[in-house]
Amino acid sequence: MRPLTASGGPKAETLRVYLESTNLHQLLGEQKTIHILEVGFGMGLAFEWTMQYLAEFLEEGQQIIYSGLELDEAVVDFGKKQLPAGQKILDRAQLAKAKENWLKCGDHHQLHVFTGDARESLTLPHVRDHFHSIPPVNVVFQDAFSFRK
């Protein structure tokens, strides 16, 4: 049976499977904006590691849009506590009331996280508007632990 993570742990697995195999750094050389969709956002570790990895490749005027989908709101709530002070992830109830449903995380980053069953949340008008108002997704990260229904 194959181990759940590579011998370097979950961060090494994220770097190998998500980042190096998708050639995101090369894509940054070709485009000003890259849109990443992560299915199974969890606590946001892949987001954090992705931003750390891409930081050395980002140039002035480039932007990463990172959209995350997560079924388990409790996992995202735990991840919220890990964010730097002053930053927060909007949950589904807040999104229904918010005019803007994204969090600008830095000069080069936008983070959008949608919780709940994606089959329902992706049909909500404000979520649909989000995906229609930004560039198309370039890369999809599918969490190995996310259920496919």
Side-chain angles (χ1 to χ4, degrees), residues 58-64 104-110:
L58 284 165
E59 296 178 6
E60 189 65 33
Q62 289 187 307
Q63 184 176 44
I64 305 295
K104 188 159 177 80
C105 293
D107 292 336
H108 298 285
H109 322 324
Q110 288 182 20

Side-chain angles (χ1 to χ4, degrees), residues 35-60:
H35 185 186
I36 300 168
L37 172 64
E38 182 179 4
V39 180
F41 183 79
M43 295 184 299
L45 294 175
F47 165 74
E48 180 181 329
W49 296 332
T50 298
M51 294 303 107
Q52 289 171 2
Y53 174 81
L54 292 177
E56 69 181 273
F57 302 105
L58 284 165
E59 296 178 6
E60 189 65 33

Side-chain angles (χ1 to χ4, degrees), residues 35 37 67-69 91-92 95-96 98-99 101 112-115 117-118 120-134:
H35 185 186
L37 172 64
S67 300
L69 303 173
D91 63 28
R92 189 173 180 187
L95 284 172
K99 290 183 180 177
N101 59 6
H112 313 249
V113 179
F114 303 97
T115 58
D117 189 330
E120 297 171 11
S121 60
L122 288 173
T123 65
L124 297 172
H126 63 281
V127 178
R128 263 196 337 261
D129 290 346
H130 160 75
F131 282 99
H132 288 294
S133 67
I134 58 177

